[in-house]
């Protein structure tokens, strides 16, 4: 057999991945692939189509086609065997079998195709061998990384030397300010104080050499700002007396207040505690963790009604230890007929359809493991829900701007559904360009004015049965009503529309089931009032 090309094509005719194996012009290959969608309607009951010069051997995968273009003299049995092997490789490298997922893993798929087909002929390999060959280490790559790391280390050494030279020049400058005379005691005091300053500790008034009159004091006021597009920065300067120290602190405080007034978020320069995740999510401690997450996309109309409601959910599995990988997951759903569930291609679909159990097609194959604290997991199940019923919207926002004289009065109210208790609710209202913050007349919750983005952020820590509704009223200069839209909303909830629950984790190798934890959350992906 001679395989001319292997490709993944969408049902609309778009070529997502294509690998050519013989010497043939690019225009010729593109012409053959462009003709494929027009030919598959001729013989739908077959998995191949023959033309005057070539044979198309294909297999549907979800909404895509895995396609081999061969010459007519090739053995159709070998063609089908090659196609079957490639169909096993595609889910291995692209868990999401759609256009976006295939395009993200295009290079990995091409490398895998190269291991299966060489110069148009099939190699005698298995799926495991292909993965092993593709993951083999490269000596050139290792050498390149070592050279790059050595350059980084050399640059760090140069930076340290430069910093040391700057510190020495500062010490010499301080000596010159004293008229070229300094006692041994005050010299030691200055060095010790400087050392403490490097550690973030300021010496007390007068220093260690206060008794001789030549003591030096050093104080460091450090702060860090966290804003969009700006790296955390720190400011430090030495002071020689209590008056200068107080003045320095006062100027730093004024600078911080000015940053806050401009919409900056000021955070303390505190190191995270041991075991605390930088991302804010608690680290994984249970052997098996299952995460149920739904992302909500809603577009509400400012005059009432809803133009879009879409919920996309996923059940992810995280396993810390390899010995706990041979398991199956039993779940329960809320029975909502409007939700369509779709399991991963590697899952046993019959087992899920009949018993609501998620397990791999190969029971001897374990689930992959991950590192502790890693939020990413293995996707087992996806679902989607779309609706035009406005009553299932968790939070509705009504905005009423009205001009009265030389002012614009804006009244905003929210109404929350009793289905969910919402947490960390932030309603962001765009404002016209203002010199000062708007005048808040009444508010249920807290507010913050972002002067850089001209945005008023209305935050409510939690919305439950005690505050299903609330309002905000503020005053700004005259402005058109369209200025206050679109309103963006963010929140989270501890329950979901699918009401999916993990009932049990079933071990396949016998023994007691491993301990597992379930995390459930509903978050907003894009929630707007336009």
């Amino acid at each position: 057999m001679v395989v001319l090309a292997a490709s993944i094509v969408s049902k609309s005719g778009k070529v997502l991945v294509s690998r050519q194996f013989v010497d043939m012009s690019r225009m010729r290959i593109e012409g053959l692939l462009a003709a494929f969608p027009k030919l598959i309607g001729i013989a739908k009951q077959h998995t191949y189509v023959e033309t005057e010069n070539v044979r198309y051997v294909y297999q549907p995968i979800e909404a895509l086609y895995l396609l081999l273009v061969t010459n007519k003299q090739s053995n159709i049995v070998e063609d089908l065997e090659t196609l079957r092997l490639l169909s096993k490789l595609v889910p291995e490298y692209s868990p999401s079998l759609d256009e976006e997922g295939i395009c993200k893993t295009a290079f990995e798929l091409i490398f895998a195709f190269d291991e299966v087909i060489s110069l148009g002929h099939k190699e005698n390999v298995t799926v495991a061998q292909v993965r092993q060959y593709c993951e083999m280490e490269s000596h050139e790559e290792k050498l390149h990384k070592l050279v790059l790391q050595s350059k980084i280390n050399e640059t760090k050494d140069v930076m340290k030397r430069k910093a040391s030279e700057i510190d020495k020049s500062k010490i010499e400058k301080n000596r010159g300010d004293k008229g070229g005379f300094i006692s041994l005691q005050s010299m030691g005091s200055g060095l010790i104080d400087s050392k403490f300053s490097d550690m973030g500790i300021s010496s007390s008034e007068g220093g260690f050499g206060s008794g001789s009159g030549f003591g030096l004091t050093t104080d460091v006021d450090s702060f860090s700002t966290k804003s969009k597009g700006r790296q955390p920065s720190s400011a430090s300067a030495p002071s020689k007396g209590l008056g200068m120290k107080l003045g320095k602190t006062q100027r730093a405080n004024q600078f911080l207040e000015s940053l806050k007034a401009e919409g900056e978020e000021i955070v303390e320069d505190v190191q995270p505690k041991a075991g605390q995740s930088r991302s804010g999510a608690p680290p994984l401690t249970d052997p098996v963790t299952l995460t149920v997450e739904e992302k909500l996309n809603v577009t509400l109309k400012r005059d009432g009604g809803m133009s879009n409601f879409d919920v996309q959910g996923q059940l992810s599995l995280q396993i810390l230890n390899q010995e706990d990988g041979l398991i199956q997951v039993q779940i329960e759903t809320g029975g909502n007929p409007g939700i369509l569930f779709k399991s991963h291609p590697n899952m046993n679909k019959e087992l899920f359809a009949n018993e609501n159990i998620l397990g791999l097609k190969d029971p001897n194959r374990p689930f992959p493991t991950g590192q502790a604290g890693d939020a990413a997991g293995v996707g087992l199940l996806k679902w989607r829900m779309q609706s035009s019923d406005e009553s299932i919207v968790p939070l509705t926002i009504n905005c009423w701007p009205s001009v009265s004289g030389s002012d614009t009065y804006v009244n905003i109210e929210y109404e929350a559904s009793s289905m969910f208790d919402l947490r960390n609710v932030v309603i962001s209202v765009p404002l016209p360009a203002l010199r000062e913050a708007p005048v808040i007349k009444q508010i249920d919750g807290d507010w913050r004015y972002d002067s850089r983005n001209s945005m008023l952020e209305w935050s409510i820590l939690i919305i439950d049965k005690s505050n299903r509704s609330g309002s905000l009223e503020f005053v700004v200069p005259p402005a058109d009503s369209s200025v206050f839209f679109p309103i963006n909303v963010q929140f989270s909830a501890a329950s979901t529309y699918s009401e999916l629950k993990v009932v049990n984790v079933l071990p396949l190798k016998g023994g007691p089931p491993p301990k597992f934890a379930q995390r459930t959350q509903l978050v907003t992906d894009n929630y707007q009032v336009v």
Side-chain angles (χ1 to χ4, degrees):
M1 63 170 288
V2 176
V3 179
L4 307 180
S7 306
I8 299 178
V9 185
S10 66
K11 291 191 176 180
S12 62
K14 181 179 179 181
V15 180
L16 306 178
V17 176
S18 181
R19 182 68 174 101
Q20 180 179 340
F21 298 103
V22 296
D23 187 10
M24 183 180 293
S25 66
R26 177 181 176 183
M27 293 184 62
R28 173 63 174 161
I29 290 293
E30 290 179 351
L32 293 174
L33 295 177
F36 171 69
K38 303 174 184 177
L39 299 173
I40 56 177
I42 298 176
K44 294 183 178 179
Q45 68 273 25
H46 299 296
T47 58
Y48 70 94
V49 177
E50 289 188 356
T51 64
E52 184 178 354
N53 298 317
V54 298
R55 176 189 296 143
Y56 297 94
V57 185
Y58 64 92
Q59 176 179 336
I61 302 179
E62 301 288 341
L64 309 172
Y65 285 112
L66 178 61
L67 171 65
L68 291 181
V69 183
T70 69
N71 57 7
K72 294 184 65 174
Q73 291 75 28
S74 67
N75 190 329
I76 185 63
V77 177
E78 293 184 5
D79 294 344
L80 294 174
E81 180 66 21
T82 305
L83 186 68
R84 185 186 66 83
L85 180 58
L86 294 180
S87 67
K88 291 183 179 180
L89 285 173
V90 172
E92 290 285 336
Y93 288 94
S94 179
S96 178
L97 297 178
D98 52 17
E99 292 189 16
E100 182 179 0
I102 294 296
C103 290
K104 285 183 179 180
T105 57
F107 288 104
E108 289 81 359
L109 290 171
I110 290 175
F111 295 151
F113 289 176
D114 283 342
E115 296 297 335
V116 176
I117 303 173
S118 176
L119 299 177
H121 299 277
K122 178 181 177 298
E123 297 287 342
N124 187 19
V125 293
T126 62
V127 174
Q129 289 175 333
V130 171
R131 290 191 65 89
Q132 181 182 358
Y133 297 158
C134 291
E135 293 174 0
M136 290 181 69
E137 298 179 351
S138 169
H139 176 71
E140 288 77 7
E141 181 182 4
K142 278 187 174 181
L143 183 61
H144 173 73
K145 289 182 177 180
L146 289 175
V147 172
L148 184 61
Q149 186 62 39
S150 65
K151 291 182 179 179
I152 294 174
N153 295 336
E154 184 179 353
T155 305
K156 288 181 179 180
D157 294 337
V158 174
M159 291 172 59
K160 289 180 181 179
R161 288 197 298 268
K162 292 292 184 182
S164 178
E165 292 175 2
I166 293 173
D167 292 338
K168 290 180 180 179
S169 65
K170 287 182 179 179
I171 294 175
E172 294 295 333
K173 184 179 179 180
N174 290 335
R175 289 177 181 176
D177 292 341
K178 291 295 181 179
F181 173 79
I182 186 169
S183 66
L184 181 61
Q185 182 181 5
S186 60
M187 182 186 297
S189 174
L191 292 176
I192 294 174
D193 286 347
S194 176
K195 191 66 176 179
F196 278 141
S197 298
D198 292 341
M199 297 171 61
I201 304 174
S202 61
S203 63
S204 60
E205 180 181 355
F208 287 94
S210 59
S212 62
F214 296 99
L216 300 177
T217 59
T218 306
D219 183 59
V220 176
D221 296 314
S222 62
F223 58 90
S224 64
T225 61
K226 182 179 181 183
S227 63
K228 297 179 180 178
R230 180 175 296 182
Q231 294 292 334
S233 60
S234 62
S236 61
S239 61
K240 295 185 178 181
L242 181 59
M244 293 184 66
K245 185 188 302 182
L246 294 176
K248 172 66 178 178
T249 304
Q250 185 177 6
R251 288 195 300 273
N253 290 336
Q254 291 175 354
F255 181 56
L256 290 175
E257 292 298 330
S258 65
L259 288 176
K260 291 181 180 179
E262 293 180 2
E264 295 283 357
E265 181 182 355
I266 309 300
V267 297
E268 296 294 335
D269 190 9
V270 179
Q271 296 294 331
K273 297 180 180 179
Q276 182 178 356
S277 174
R278 290 184 178 269
S279 63
L284 301 178
T285 57
D286 295 284
V288 178
T289 302
L290 294 119
T291 303
V292 179
E293 183 181 56
E294 288 185 349
K295 293 184 178 180
L296 189 59
N297 291 273
V298 175
T299 304
L300 303 174
K301 299 178 181 179
R302 68 182 72 177
D303 298 326
M306 178 177 62
S307 60
N308 178 52
F309 181 89
D310 181 78
V311 178
Q312 296 185 6
Q314 178 170 316
L315 173 63
S316 301
L317 171 66
Q318 183 78 23
I319 299 176
L320 296 184
N321 303 317
Q322 183 68 39
E323 57 268 17
D324 297 324
L326 288 171
I327 57 172
Q328 292 178 340
V329 180
Q330 184 178 9
I331 63 171
E332 283 184 359
T333 60
N336 190 334
I339 299 180
L340 302 177
F341 292 92
K342 180 182 290 187
S343 61
H344 190 278
N346 288 338
M347 296 291 107
N348 189 329
K349 297 185 182 297
E350 294 183 0
L351 185 64
F352 173 65
N354 298 329
E355 304 180 30
N356 273 353
I357 294 178
L358 293 168
L360 294 173
K361 293 179 180 178
D362 184 0
N364 297 320
R365 176 183 173 185
F367 284 104
T369 59
Q371 298 295 328
D374 185 7
V378 179
L380 304 182
L381 188 67
K382 288 184 177 181
W383 60 91
R384 187 172 186 179
M385 173 184 174
Q386 293 179 320
S387 177
S388 58
D389 184 6
E390 191 177 356
S391 64
I392 65 174
V393 174
L395 187 68
T396 57
I397 308 293
N398 295 315
C399 180
W400 303 84
S402 60
V403 179
S404 177
S406 60
D407 294 322
T408 299
Y409 289 81
V410 182
N411 290 273
I412 303 177
E413 62 178 359
Y414 72 81
E415 293 184 5
S417 171
S418 59
M419 293 188 299
F420 303 106
D421 290 342
L422 308 181
R423 300 174 297 184
N424 302 322
V425 182
V426 178
I427 303 172
S428 301
V429 184
L431 301 178
L434 303 176
R435 293 184 177 180
E436 297 180 354
V439 179
I440 307 298
K441 294 291 186 179
Q442 184 271 332
I443 186 171
D444 294 326
D446 299 321
W447 68 280
R448 172 181 173 270
Y449 175 55
D450 184 356
S451 60
R452 292 195 173 185
N453 299 314
S454 191
M455 190 79 66
L456 178 64
E457 296 182 354
W458 178 17
S459 59
I460 305 100
L461 186 61
I462 186 169
I463 297 179
D464 54 15
K465 62 182 180 180
S466 63
N467 58 343
R468 294 293 181 191
S469 62
S471 60
L472 162 66
E473 181 181 3
F474 61 90
V475 181
V476 295
D480 186 76
S481 61
S482 61
V483 174
F484 305 100
F485 297 92
I487 300 174
N488 289 283
V489 185
Q490 294 179 344
F491 59 80
S492 62
S495 53
T496 59
Y497 282 94
S498 64
E499 298 181 356
L500 188 146
K501 296 180 180 178
V502 177
V503 179
N504 200 2
V505 173
L506 310 173
L508 297 179
K509 60 181 180 180
K515 182 181 178 182
F516 72 95
Q518 177 179 347
R519 298 179 178 179
T520 304
Q521 66 173 353
L522 171 71
V523 296
T524 55
D525 189 20
N526 185 21
Y527 202 107
Q528 286 187 332
V529 182
V530 298

